Each structure stands twice: as structure tokens, then as C-alpha cells.
Amino acid sequence: MQSYSEDILINGIRNRDDGVFKYLQVKFQDGIRLMVLEMGGRPEDAKDVFNEGLIALIRLVDKEDFKLTCKLGTLLYALCNKIWKQQIEKQTAARNYHLRKLDTTPTKDFSENYDEELFKDIFWGCFELLDTVCKEILKGYLKEISPMDIAKSLGYSYGYVRKKKSTCHSYLIQMIENNPVFVKIQNSEKELTPVQKAIAVDEG
Amino acid sequence: MKDDVGNKQLLADYLYGDLEPGDEMEFERMISDHPELSESYHFHVKVRDYLKAKIQLEEMRSDPLLGEAEKLAEHAFDDDAEASVPGMLRKRLKYIPAVAASIALLLVVRFFIPATNPDALFSAYYTPLSATNFNQRGETDVISSEFSESIDLFNQGAYEQSIRILNQLETAQTELPEVELFQGLNYMGLEQYGKAKDFLNHYIENNTRLLPEAYWYLSLCFLKTGEYAKSRALLSRLGAYDGMYKKDAQVLERKLRRIR
């Protein structure tokens, strides 16, 4: 992915450069979505919060006295975090006012959500257990830094980084697949007969 | 197919964008030919995507200048009274075409919506196409302006009025293939999925532009009418290629596998 300096990004926002907005989307949307989900929101909420965060960022950058004194990504995070907290406050106030809230959202399968939460904890927990070199290499790739730049910053050869990335990724997957909680959830999924699955679908 | 070690290496290279285009295509063929490899691939994607998001988030959360960012963020809400009027926000967006176009591209990636029932899945995944771009071509002839008007109506949810104009354009045998696409999308808006399928199918058979959009909405029509195999087939095709529907298509296809 093409990389932009903060100055270019700010100018791009001011000039409504489509490429810059796409870059912000690719670079930060997943993180913001996860923040909203971790704070009890739904994917739909996350989309709205990110859009509103972008609008707030435009308003801020358009101000004549605006000066960026932190990373742009952190600013976008702060904006989205504030927007989501405001929404939670509004929702709480509305709930307090209306004693009974009418929820029209689709029925959710809470056991599956619970499993997903466990999965996420396992993914991150296993990633944290990797050795430093593996973590740095995979982090670099996940941040879409070129293998050449990762190699330079870590003092390895390009070929080593590419090969090591595959080894580290395979090791990570192996750790996840051998995690006792993960194995337990997978086994319980397999034990569900097709009939039970069909019932679960109907009940959903 | 290569041995297990070779496949793992290939999979990791593919996941992290380290394969040459020719090798990428070969690997994609392998995925579509080997269901076990395909299942394994989707799991690897899930792990990678989660870690990517988590790393993004942790980096922002642990930034020593977060306090500074929060102070700056306060200024964005100085004129909150103005911003809280939805109409004004919409107006503002209307005059920022690049932003509107970008936001139109933003995806709802519904990782964690469970496979409950087909209707719930449809409700969770169906959002009318954001067609802002279609009105920004600067064309001035009558046909283009009528087409533009129909798209405006579509964007406003006035599906029947939009269809009326599109029908006239179709009768006039215009050279605008998107007429059919939007007829299909309008009928989806009206919940007339049979007609929507006919238009979208015909559009796909005769056009090469905007196919991902057509595939996505046709797959949702099939989901709604209970034709899950057809829906999954389209989603698999969408999920195999990079594009704005890739993630949603992969996740929805996986959820549909659980519906018998």
C-alpha cells in the first residue's frame, strides 16, 4: 500500500482527495471497528462511528488554526472514541427514560458471539506468545509495511524476512489450533448434528 | 497439490501479499479446487484480519500523544449545535463529493453477525447501493439527466418513481446498460425479488461493468428467495477477488454453509 506523510494526508483531506480517504479507510477502519465492537457496539454502529469520525476530522482540519500535534491515526481514534461514548450516553439516557426498550435488531446467537470473543482472546494471546522477532515481522506485514523496509528496520535480509514470516505465521496458527479452549469449542461444533444445526438455524 | 509444508508456505505468502500475480492465480485455483484448503484459508484470513485490526487499535490506544489527540478532538465538537442537525450534515456531505464517494465505499464488515436465519442475515447485509457517483459525470444530454434523476430517486428510496423513469429509458433503447442494474436494485428496494433477479441476471449476462455490485445484490436476492446454493456460488466468486465486497462475501458465504 502506498504510504503518505502526515502533511500529505492533511493536505489531501483539505483538498478532498479521494485517494487519501481510501487510505484512511484501509489504514484505520478495522481498528476503529474493533474498538466499537469491544465497547459493546454492533458492526453497523462501527460503520457509522467511522463515517462520523471522518466528518469530524474534516471539520477539524478545515479550521484555519488547525495544527496537528499528534499522529493522524490517533486523532481519528480519539474522535471516534468520543463519538461512540456520546452515542452510548444517549442510548443509556434513552433507556432510562423509556423503561422498556423496543429492540428491533435481528436476534443474535449469543453462544456464537461468546465463542467469537473467546477466539479473539486466543488469537491475540497466542500472538503475544510469539518471540519478539516473529511478532515484529508479522506486525510489519499486518501494518502493510513492505518486506524490504521490515528487513531494513530489523537488520535482516529481505529473503530471511519473507521466509521467517511464513514460519512465524504457521507457528502462530499451530499454537491457536492446539489451544485447549480452541480445541474444546471446535469439538463441540463438530458434535452438533445436522439436525441440531437446522434447529439452531430455525430458532435463530 | 503440493505437500503440507509447501502449502503452508504458499498460504502464508498469499495471505501477506508475497506471491507473484501468476502464482496468486494458481493458488486461487487451488483454493477453489480443494475444499479443505479453502476452509483452512478462510480460518487463516480470520486470524490475520483480527490481528491486523487489534494491532491498529493497540497502536492508537498506546500512543503517548493520545492525551494531545483527545484535546484536539474536543475542538471538532466546538460547533456541535450545528453538527448535530442531521440535515445540515447531509447538506455538508452533498457538497463534498470526494468525501461522499469515499464514505460510499466504506464497508460494513460483519464479522460477528451469527448465522441465525436467512431473513436476519439478509437484514444484516442488505443496504441499498450508495449511488452518489452516478450523478457526478457532468453529462448534460437529456438521457443522462433523466438517468441522473432516476438515481436521485433511487437514493431517496422513491423506488417506484425511479422505475418509471428507467422504464421510459429502456423503451427509448438508450445505450445506458446501468438502467437494468438500477431497475433490479429498485425492485429489491420494493421487496420484489423475482423481478429484481430477472433484471440483475440479465445485466450480468450482458455487461462487464459494475459486476461486483450486480453479483452482490443478486446473491442477496437468492438469499431472500431461499436459493442458498445460487447465493453461495455468487458469493464464492466475489470472495475470491479483491474488492469492496470481498470480506462481506466471504463471511456471508461461510454463514450460508450452515443453513441446510
Side-chain angles (χ1 to χ4, degrees):
Chain A
M1 183 175 58
Q2 189 190 349
S3 170
Y4 293 93
S5 71
E6 305 274 82
D7 282 346
I8 291 176
L9 288 174
I10 297 293
N11 281 333
I13 293 168
R14 285 191 176 129
N15 297 326
R16 312 296 187 245
D17 180 342
D18 201 30
V20 163
F21 288 106
K22 278 181 194 159
Y23 175 83
L24 294 175
Q25 180 195 345
V26 172
K27 193 91 177 148
F28 303 114
Q29 192 182 15
D30 290 345
I32 301 293
R33 188 185 64 240
L34 187 59
M35 174 198 79
V36 174
L37 294 176
E38 283 187 355
M39 291 168 77
R42 298 167 303 169
E44 292 85 353
D45 299 322
K47 183 195 169 199
D48 293 343
V49 167
F50 187 75
N51 288 348
E52 285 181 36
L54 277 183
I55 293 167
L57 182 65
I58 293 165
R59 291 168 61 194
L60 197 56
V61 169
D62 275 354
K63 290 188 176 182
E64 280 180 12
D65 58 347
F66 173 77
K67 198 178 167 210
L68 187 65
T69 51
C70 59
K71 285 184 189 166
L72 193 65
T74 310
L75 176 57
L76 186 57
Y77 166 79
L79 288 165
C80 291
N81 188 271
K82 191 170 170 61
I83 288 164
W84 179 235
K85 281 181 179 164
Q86 282 175 344
Q87 283 189 16
I88 293 173
E89 276 171 26
K90 278 181 201 165
Q91 283 169 6
T92 311
R95 261 200 299 273
N96 290 343
Y97 184 72
H98 304 287
L99 288 174
R100 222 173 39 176
K101 180 176 170 270
L102 286 174
D103 192 354
T104 55
T105 52
T107 316
K108 293 196 175 188
D109 178 344
F110 289 104
S111 63
E112 186 172 330
N113 277 356
Y114 181 65
D115 288 351
E116 289 291 349
E117 289 305 316
L118 282 176
F119 280 159
K120 287 192 278 179
D121 287 346
I122 294 166
F123 295 169
W124 187 243
C126 289
F127 179 78
E128 291 278 54
L129 287 175
L130 290 172
D131 67 55
T132 315
V133 175
C134 270
K135 266 197 277 192
E136 287 307 312
I137 290 177
L138 289 184
K139 235 184 218 181
Y141 269 95
L142 291 166
K143 285 161 74 178
E144 305 201 16
I145 298 170
S146 76
M148 195 65 91
D149 289 341
I150 299 171
K152 261 188 215 164
S153 69
L154 296 176
Y156 295 118
S157 71
Y158 169 73
Y160 176 81
V161 164
R162 278 189 61 168
K163 191 156 188 223
K164 185 77 176 166
K165 167 254 325 173
S166 301
T167 319
C168 295
H169 179 81
S170 297
Y171 186 55
L172 170 69
I173 296 292
Q174 202 181 328
M175 272 204 291
I176 292 170
E177 286 175 341
N178 289 334
N179 181 287
V181 180
F182 183 84
V183 172
K184 208 172 165 184
I185 298 171
Q186 293 294 89
N187 286 343
S188 66
E189 273 275 304
K190 280 177 199 159
E191 280 164 17
L192 273 179
T193 64
V195 175
Q196 283 171 310
K197 280 184 181 172
I199 292 168
V201 167
D202 287 343
E203 283 175 349
Chain B
M1 196 163 68
K2 293 195 177 188
D3 60 18
D4 196 38
V5 178
N7 278 336
K8 277 182 180 167
Q9 169 94 30
L10 262 181
L11 211 158
D13 281 345
Y14 181 76
L15 267 184
Y16 293 97
D18 269 348
L19 284 185
E20 297 299 322
D23 295 333
E24 264 186 20
M25 282 174 68
E26 195 188 324
F27 187 72
E28 282 163 5
R29 262 198 301 275
M30 274 170 67
I31 293 176
S32 57
D33 290 347
H34 298 91
E36 271 187 23
L37 180 63
S38 167
E39 198 171 320
S40 169
Y41 164 72
H42 285 113
F43 176 63
H44 285 241
V45 168
K46 185 174 172 178
V47 173
R48 180 203 61 187
D49 289 349
Y50 173 70
L51 291 177
K52 188 179 169 190
K54 184 73 175 170
I55 286 167
Q56 273 181 15
L57 181 59
E58 290 305 316
E59 212 169 68
M60 295 186 279
R61 270 180 182 157
S62 60
D63 187 343
L65 290 175
L66 179 58
E68 192 64 38
E70 283 169 341
K71 271 190 224 162
L72 258 181
E74 289 295 329
H75 293 299
F77 302 93
D78 285 349
D79 46 357
D80 236 10
E82 180 200 343
S84 66
V85 181
M88 294 195 76
L89 261 184
R90 277 199 294 274
K91 210 172 188 177
R92 184 180 286 266
L93 269 177
K94 196 177 171 185
Y95 291 102
I96 308 173
V99 179
S102 300
I103 289 173
L105 285 168
L106 299 178
L107 306 177
V108 184
V109 183
R110 301 160 176 88
F111 277 119
F112 306 117
I113 293 179
T116 47
N117 65 43
D119 281 340
L121 277 177
F122 180 88
S123 305
Y125 280 85
Y126 172 67
T127 317
L129 178 73
S130 180
T132 328
N133 285 337
F134 287 86
N135 285 343
Q136 294 174 2
R137 296 178 172 184
E139 292 167 6
T140 51
D141 59 88
V142 176
I143 287 173
S144 292
S145 101
E146 284 183 359
F147 183 62
S148 264
E149 192 188 338
S150 73
I151 301 304
D152 275 342
L153 291 165
F154 168 80
N155 284 333
Q156 292 159 23
Y159 302 122
E160 282 174 347
Q161 290 165 270
S162 177
I163 287 172
R164 269 199 291 276
I165 296 176
L166 292 172
N167 282 344
Q168 286 165 10
L169 288 173
E170 197 184 23
T171 312
Q173 294 187 318
T174 58
E175 295 294 316
L176 281 169
E178 292 94 343
V179 165
E180 256 181 351
L181 175 67
F182 278 94
Q183 276 170 315
L185 297 176
N186 273 311
Y187 278 113
M188 270 189 96
L190 290 171
E191 300 181 13
Q192 295 181 27
Y193 301 104
K195 280 187 178 173
K197 280 191 299 188
D198 291 344
F199 278 110
L200 292 172
N201 255 325
H202 198 258
Y203 177 82
I204 287 169
E205 282 167 15
N206 297 291
N207 292 286
T208 51
R209 289 186 68 240
L210 298 169
L211 284 182
E213 285 82 356
Y215 279 145
W216 173 248
Y217 285 101
L218 182 57
S219 71
L220 291 177
C221 284
F222 284 133
L223 166 62
K224 194 69 186 174
T225 52
E227 295 162 278
Y228 306 126
K230 286 183 184 176
S231 181
R232 280 185 56 198
L234 289 176
L235 292 169
S236 295
R237 291 174 76 168
L238 266 179
Y241 296 99
D242 282 334
M244 63 187 289
Y245 294 105
K246 181 175 181 159
K247 276 188 181 174
D248 275 357
Q250 286 173 347
V251 177
L252 184 54
E253 196 273 337
R254 188 171 56 82
K255 287 180 188 292
L256 286 185
R257 273 188 242 163
R258 303 177 68 180
I259 299 176
R260 296 283 185 270

